[in-house]
């Protein structure tokens, strides 16, 4: 596990170190720099391992744009999740586009993929900007940490649920609709078979977990050969936008849960 220093964090996502919010925010906006939250989480044993922010054309907004930091605990404190590691995913902006949001995430070791696992219909912990942000985020981190065993149970369900080839194709079609919209047949440069292509032998099986893994990696990492709407050969682009990363990750996890339920599996319930 490589912990990101302040210098590395600043290079990857300068908005973490914003000294003031965007000029457009109201006087009631309670500004708390994201780095204060990062340092507080690190003091509690959650270390930043990845950071990124949304690219903006207006350079003056570079220090207030939406950004995301992923945190991980030391190996001896982690719950056994097989091929994955539990993470906390913090997103924020200082331009009125987002409040502080803390989600439970997973990092899949065999493919270096980061995921977001919703623990309720509303996702994770949402905190409005204000003077109590740090305390509220720390409280939320404890609450989310307690949900890791339930995520592990859900993963076990995915790993024990087998899907036929036609079911896997339906899963891929639904995933493409989440990525490109309901008219994905016209908008998507790739087809379901491309989404389901395994990049490594560990993902080549027919469990729901493997189908989910192949789909998530191919949609997020990009580089999949396809064809544009004009007929030109192309490759898909990786998803680097923070908002789209979190949105699609949540949606794919929820889709996987729905498929498991349709197959008759019982998933662990989260507290209301």
């Amino acid at each position: 596990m490589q912990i990101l220093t302040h210098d590395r964090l600043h290079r990857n996502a300068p908005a973490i170190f914003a000294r003031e919010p965007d000029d457009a925010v109201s006087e009631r906006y309670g500004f708390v720099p994201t780095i204060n939250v990062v340092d507080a989480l690190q003091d509690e044993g959650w270390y930043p391992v990845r950071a990124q922010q949304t690219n903006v054309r207006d350079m003056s907004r570079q220090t207030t744009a939406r950004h995301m930091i992923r945190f991980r605990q030391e190996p001896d404190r982690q719950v056994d999740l097989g091929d994955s590691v539990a993470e906390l995913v913090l997103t924020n902006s200082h331009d009125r586009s987002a409040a502080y949001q803390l989600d439970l995430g997973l990092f899949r070791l065999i493919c270096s993929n980061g995921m977001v696992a919703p623990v309720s219909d509303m996702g994770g912990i949402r905190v409005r900007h204000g003077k109590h942000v740090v305390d509220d985020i720390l409280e939320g981190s404890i609450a989310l940490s307690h949900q890791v065993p339930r995520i592990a149970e859900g993963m076990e369900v995915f790993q024990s649920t087998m899907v036929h080839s036609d079911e896997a194709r339906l899963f891929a079609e639904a995933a493409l609709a989440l990525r490109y919209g309901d008219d994905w047949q016209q908008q998507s440069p790739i087809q379901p078979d491309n989404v389901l292509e395994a990049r490594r032998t560990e993902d080549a099986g027919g469990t729901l977990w493997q189908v989910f893994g192949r789909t998530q990696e191919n949609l997020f990492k990009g580089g999949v050969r396809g064809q544009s709407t004009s007929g030109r050969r192309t490759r898909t682009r990786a998803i680097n936008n923070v908002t789209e990363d979190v949105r699609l990750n949540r949606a794919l996890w929820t889709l996987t849960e729905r498929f498991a339920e349709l197959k008759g599996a019982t998933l662990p319930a989260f507290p209301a």
Side-chain angles (χ1 to χ4, degrees):
M1 182 178 75
Q2 183 177 7
I3 300 171
L4 299 185
T5 62
H6 275 204
D7 182 61
R8 183 69 179 276
L9 285 168
H10 193 277
R11 290 202 302 270
N12 292 358
I16 294 173
F17 295 84
R19 296 182 178 180
E20 58 185 5
D22 188 272
D23 292 338
V25 303
S26 71
E27 295 180 355
R28 293 176 297 176
Y29 182 95
F31 176 70
V32 175
T34 305
I35 189 58
N36 291 10
V37 180
V38 173
D39 289 343
L41 283 170
Q42 183 159 329
D43 288 342
E44 294 299 318
W46 286 97
Y47 300 94
V49 294
R50 178 185 171 190
Q52 67 185 86
Q53 75 177 54
T54 298
N55 292 325
V56 291
R57 295 181 180 179
D58 184 352
M59 295 303 294
S60 66
R61 296 183 57 219
Q62 278 287 94
T63 58
T64 61
R66 187 171 299 198
H67 44 284
M68 176 174 69
I69 310 101
R70 302 185 74 101
F71 299 83
R72 200 179 303 169
Q73 294 176 303
E74 292 283 7
D76 59 352
R77 294 185 59 188
Q78 294 168 2
V79 177
D80 183 15
L81 295 174
D83 66 359
S84 301
V85 175
E87 294 185 331
L88 290 180
V89 184
L90 178 70
T91 55
N92 183 40
S93 80
H94 295 298
D95 60 2
R96 298 188 306 171
S97 65
Y100 276 98
Q101 177 81 27
L102 190 67
D103 289 284
L104 186 60
L106 294 172
F107 182 81
R108 199 155 179 245
L109 299 170
I110 64 171
C111 59
S112 300
N113 265 19
M115 313 170 200
V116 174
V119 296
S120 72
D121 291 340
M122 296 301 292
I125 309 297
R126 187 174 185 273
V127 179
R128 295 180 61 183
H129 290 271
K131 62 182 180 179
H132 299 298
V133 159
V134 174
D135 291 339
D136 291 344
I137 290 291
L138 291 180
E139 183 178 341
S141 71
I142 295 172
L144 290 178
S145 297
H146 291 165
Q147 305 311 317
V148 173
R150 288 184 174 85
I151 292 295
E153 292 174 24
M155 288 172 55
E156 291 177 359
V157 171
F158 298 160
Q159 291 165 347
S160 62
T161 301
M162 301 300 298
V163 293
H164 302 297
S165 58
D166 55 338
E167 294 171 328
R169 184 178 178 83
L170 287 174
F171 184 97
E173 290 177 354
L176 286 171
L178 292 172
R179 174 71 176 94
Y180 296 101
D182 292 337
D183 58 343
W184 66 267
Q185 289 96 334
Q186 287 73 45
Q187 301 299 323
S188 172
I190 56 177
Q191 298 301 310
D193 289 344
N194 304 124
V195 173
L196 295 170
E197 185 175 348
R199 301 194 182 197
R200 61 190 59 78
T201 55
E202 294 92 335
D203 279 339
T207 69
L208 182 56
W209 180 245
Q210 290 167 316
V211 170
F212 165 72
R214 298 198 299 267
T215 300
Q216 199 258 7
E217 182 171 16
N218 285 324
L219 288 183
F220 275 80
K221 284 198 170 179
V224 181
R225 296 177 183 272
Q227 184 172 297
S228 67
T229 53
S230 63
R232 180 175 55 86
R233 290 183 179 180
T234 186
R235 288 178 180 267
T236 59
R237 295 181 179 181
I239 295 177
N240 295 315
N241 180 278
V242 171
T243 303
E244 180 63 7
D245 182 299
V246 175
R247 182 201 70 83
L248 185 57
N249 254 314
R250 287 178 183 156
L252 285 176
W253 187 274
T254 300
L255 173 65
T256 310
E257 291 180 328
R258 298 293 179 267
F259 259 76
E261 291 171 344
L262 288 173
K263 294 287 290 182
T266 301
L267 292 166
F270 291 98

